[in-house]
Amino acid sequence: EDLFISKVKEVVLMGGVVSSELGESLIPDSAYNNNCDMSSARFVYKRCQELGIPTATLSRWAAYGCPIPPKLLDEIATTEHMVATNIRSVSKLSIDQLWNKVILHPSDSRREKLPNRCDVSWFCRTFMSKGEISKEWSSSVWTLVKKLNMYDPLAVLLCVPAYRTTHFEGKTKVVNGVSHVVVG
């Protein structure tokens, strides 16, 4: 614990928190990353606040605010660069896997840790900018998707103070005299 305190300047998290106006501390919300292991998410937020380690949280709302079109990934894949083709391939696979979970009943264990709020209507609003498609859609949804949320690149940018101050607006919550930033 002493080593952690002495070496860690800040912890950047992809997830979300219950409204920072509610209560005296930051508490993880139902974001997918938190939901994968809620007890660990609670522990990390609680312990960082107790130890005075600042946190910066990137929520889904920030990612929803600056989507990219999948066509961009299709275009960079035409370069045949292995990184470009891998990013496109993994993104297509991920969106198809997400669709296949979303169409399942909320109690179906194959949904894994996907929150109940992530249903067909949510998928269509979040990735397609239009009305619902049939749950029976059997081919790849990639061609129907109009926007993708780039969580990982945004989280990396959030780690760099100069980029954070230039490109992000966050809310600050002070806990035990330490500032914690929530973006989105």
Side-chain angles (χ1 to χ4, degrees), residues 25-163:
S25 62
L26 295 176
I27 300 167
D29 69 5
S30 68
Y32 177 76
N33 286 357
N34 293 337
N35 211 34
C36 286
D37 189 343
M38 186 57 81
S39 63
S40 293
R42 286 187 189 113
F43 176 82
V44 169
Y45 275 101
K46 183 177 186 240
R47 204 66 187 122
C48 284
Q49 291 170 87
E50 290 171 350
L51 297 172
I53 304 293
T55 61
T57 301
L58 179 75
S59 78
R60 64 184 174 273
W61 306 112
Y64 290 174
C66 53
I68 66 160
K71 183 179 178 184
L72 175 65
L73 299 183
D74 291 338
E75 289 171 5
I76 66 168
T78 63
T79 65
E80 297 184 12
H81 187 282
M82 72 178 202
V83 173
T85 57
N86 187 317
I87 289 171
R88 192 255 185 207
S89 175
V90 168
S91 296
K92 182 180 181 297
L93 178 64
S94 295
I95 202 77
D96 285 335
Q97 288 175 335
L98 179 59
W99 170 253
N100 288 324
K101 290 178 184 179
V102 160
I103 62 175
L104 298 171
H105 188 274
S107 65
D108 193 312
S109 63
R110 293 173 294 170
R111 283 178 59 98
E112 297 172 340
K113 301 286 185 166
L114 192 64
N116 289 345
R117 66 178 162 71
C118 298
D119 58 12
V120 171
S121 178
W122 165 84
F123 184 94
C124 293
R125 282 191 322 274
T126 304
F127 301 106
M128 296 170 49
S129 302
K130 66 178 190 176
E132 291 189 19
I133 60 174
S134 170
K135 285 185 176 183
E136 282 73 44
W137 186 266
S138 59
S139 58
S140 173
V141 293
W142 183 257
T143 58
L144 303 175
V145 170
K146 301 295 180 213
K147 54 187 180 174
L148 296 170
N149 303 310
M150 305 306 291
Y151 294 95
D152 295 337
L154 289 173
V156 170
L157 290 174
L158 192 62
C159 291
V160 181
Y163 290 141

Side-chain angles (χ1 to χ4, degrees), residues 4 8-17 26 33-34 44-45 48-49 52-60 62 151 154-161 163-165 168-173 178-184:
F4 180 76
V8 175
K9 179 179 177 182
E10 177 181 63
V11 174
V12 176
L13 304 143
M14 290 191 318
V17 295
L26 295 176
N33 286 357
N34 293 337
V44 169
Y45 275 101
C48 284
Q49 291 170 87
I53 304 293
T55 61
T57 301
L58 179 75
S59 78
R60 64 184 174 273
Y151 294 95
L154 289 173
V156 170
L157 290 174
L158 192 62
C159 291
V160 181
Y163 290 141
R164 182 185 304 173
T165 57
F168 295 95
E169 289 182 23
K171 292 184 179 180
T172 300
K173 172 87 172 180
V178 175
S179 294
H180 301 269
V181 178
V182 179
V183 177

